[in-house]
Amino acid sequence: MDERRQPSALVDEAYAALGEAIVDGRLRPGDRLRDVELAAHMGISRTPVREALQRLAAIRLVEIAPHRFTRVTSPSDKEIADMQDYAVHMIAMTMHLALPRCSDDEIAEGARLLGGLMDAARADSSPAYVDAGYAFLAHFTRASQNIVLMETLKQTAFLLRRNLRGWMCAHVEGCEELFLRLADRIRERDTAQAAHLWLRLHGLY
């Protein structure tokens, strides 16, 4: 990182680097985070690293006990279950808002991204399902043009991706037909049926 950049840019870059490291497992639950070591590794001063750690603590990816430790949090079973519940309902709501506003190209891209979810479900791969699900949510969040949804996703992205570990559709054996039907409803901009099928895929109908 270049120390000549604006301080806010350095904080953003440190936040992004640390958040990605927590999401992909390079920094694991319980790992101690020492600002001096992190700053040296990133080639910047301690101040932006400290600010980045405070931002990560605000979304519960990092736990700070003043004068004792700063460490990566370990999500509880309830936090993981709650995040899965949140993600399913958030995607349903976001599709409901976005589909009427989507361009034809955005509709086609949404259907393509849904195919990534179906492939991950077919392979019974939760990591691939989480990545595909996040890409699907991010796409329709942008397409919704709703500044509240876009800011919410920006603020929760790392926590969402970390705490969705283990997520998968509820009908792994028979989900392909539901995915194909959902793709058709997306192409038709059928908001009610798209949301219904998405919820059904995840055992909520």
Side-chain angles (χ1 to χ4, degrees):
M1 294 184 187
D2 187 347
E3 192 72 39
R4 293 171 297 178
R5 294 187 185 182
Q6 292 294 321
S8 60
L10 290 172
V11 175
D12 288 344
E13 290 184 30
Y15 174 79
L18 292 169
E20 286 293 347
I22 292 171
V23 169
D24 68 23
R26 283 174 290 149
L27 290 173
R28 297 169 295 178
D31 280 356
R32 297 293 181 103
L33 303 172
R34 298 174 175 84
D35 55 9
V36 175
E37 296 175 4
L38 293 170
H41 178 72
M42 296 178 185
I44 59 176
S45 68
R46 295 167 63 184
T47 299
V49 172
R50 286 175 176 171
E51 292 187 29
L53 290 170
Q54 291 288 345
R55 285 174 59 182
L56 290 165
I59 61 169
R60 299 172 63 86
L61 280 180
V62 164
E63 177 187 10
I64 299 175
H67 310 299
R68 293 178 57 205
F69 60 77
T70 299
R71 64 189 178 196
V72 179
T73 59
S74 179
S76 67
D77 290 344
K78 177 170 173 50
E79 286 174 317
I80 291 171
D82 284 351
M83 184 58 81
Q84 293 178 6
D85 201 28
Y86 169 84
V88 172
H89 283 92
M90 181 59 70
I91 289 172
M93 181 185 71
T94 301
M95 281 196 297
H96 200 279
L97 286 172
L99 289 177
R101 305 175 183 180
C102 284
S103 67
D104 289 347
D105 286 345
E106 287 169 333
I107 289 291
E109 178 64 5
R112 186 192 71 78
L113 290 169
L114 184 68
L117 275 157
M118 184 168 68
D119 290 343
R122 189 185 294 121
D124 198 17
S125 171
S126 174
Y129 198 82
V130 171
D131 288 345
Y134 179 77
F136 188 70
L137 172 60
H139 171 71
F140 280 117
T141 297
R142 290 189 297 269
S144 76
Q145 304 171 38
N146 185 294
I147 59 174
V148 176
L149 289 182
M150 289 188 283
E151 185 62 25
T152 298
L153 184 62
K154 178 182 176 182
Q155 295 296 327
T156 60
F158 289 131
L159 184 67
L160 184 73
R161 291 166 58 205
R162 198 278 296 268
N163 284 10
L164 280 177
R165 291 174 184 169
W167 186 43
M168 181 61 71
C169 66
H171 303 282
V172 175
E173 294 299 323
C175 68
E176 188 159 344
E177 180 185 352
L178 290 173
F179 273 117
L180 292 173
R181 288 169 59 190
L182 175 53
D184 287 341
R185 300 295 84 75
I186 288 172
R187 295 186 185 99
E188 294 166 4
R189 293 181 169 82
D190 186 338
T191 57
Q193 281 300 308
H196 172 81
L197 286 166
W198 176 258
L199 293 172
R200 186 177 170 190
L201 269 164
H202 296 88
L204 298 176
Y205 268 109

